Amino acid sequence: MELREYEFFFQESNYSHHPLYKSRLASFVITGLTTRFSSRRKGYVFFAPDSSSGKLSLGIIEAFSQEVEQEGARFLIVHIPTKKPLKRLMKGDPLKYQDLLETLQASYDLLDPAPALLEKADMHGLNALLASGSSHNSKIANEAAAQTVATAWLED
């Protein structure tokens, strides 16, 4: 069965034998630009709970939750926002995926270390939450997230 019609970012032209695609750099740039400015992308809300991507995410989480609970363990979601969402929160803007996060929060135990991360960002700056030269969390961010989880875990 052909599944490419269900792949949001699939574009037939990306798989043509155009000479430019022999260059990895040109291929990367062309694919990135055509994906970024695709007419399919306009108006599509990736994180809406009722979108196909939102439904898929919720379905995967539900299946995972059931597996965890069948093993007699506690299923817990920890929301760890990355740099862009933290910037939005620092400006007082809602998260782009706020509706999806609230849907998850209504059905599952969800811990959100964002307040602790924002506090650390206020103290040390946003970049202090990232490991040097990386988009991964730093020791400061990991400690804030771990403290949030530990506090919630010990309260139960």
Side-chain angles (χ1 to χ4, degrees):
M1 179 175 163
E2 289 288 324
L3 298 177
R4 66 181 170 199
E5 69 182 84
Y6 301 104
E7 172 54 48
F8 187 84
F9 291 107
F10 177 80
Q11 293 182 14
E12 188 76 42
S13 63
N14 290 347
Y15 296 91
S16 68
H17 296 289
H18 194 280
L20 280 175
Y21 285 108
K22 291 184 181 189
S23 163
R24 288 182 189 233
L25 177 60
S27 179
F28 175 75
V29 170
I30 291 166
T31 302
L33 289 174
T34 56
T35 299
R36 175 86 173 144
F37 298 106
S38 166
S39 60
R40 289 186 68 199
R41 188 179 177 123
K42 284 188 176 170
Y44 186 83
V45 183
F46 288 94
F47 301 111
D50 60 345
S51 69
S52 59
S53 51
K55 289 177 185 176
L56 178 62
S57 298
L58 293 170
I60 291 169
I61 291 168
E62 177 59 27
F64 189 44
S65 168
Q66 289 175 2
E67 286 181 31
V68 169
E69 290 171 357
Q70 284 173 358
E71 293 298 319
R74 177 181 176 195
F75 182 72
L76 179 68
I77 297 173
V78 181
H79 167 244
I80 302 178
T82 57
K83 187 175 183 177
K84 279 186 180 180
L86 284 171
K87 279 183 176 181
R88 290 183 67 83
L89 292 171
M90 289 175 82
K91 290 192 270 183
D93 294 337
L95 297 169
K96 287 187 175 184
Y97 52 89
Q98 188 65 44
D99 290 344
L100 186 60
L101 193 63
E102 288 172 4
T103 298
L104 291 170
Q105 204 163 23
S107 300
Y108 305 100
D109 286 336
L110 187 138
L111 299 180
D112 189 2
L117 292 169
L118 292 173
E119 185 178 311
K120 295 292 184 184
D122 283 343
M123 291 169 44
H124 304 285
L126 183 59
N127 287 331
L129 300 181
L130 302 172
S132 180
S134 171
S135 60
H136 293 281
N137 283 346
S138 68
K139 179 182 177 184
I140 292 170
N142 286 329
E143 286 175 347
Q147 184 62 48
T148 300
V149 172
T151 300
W153 200 266
L154 292 173
E155 288 176 353
D156 284 348

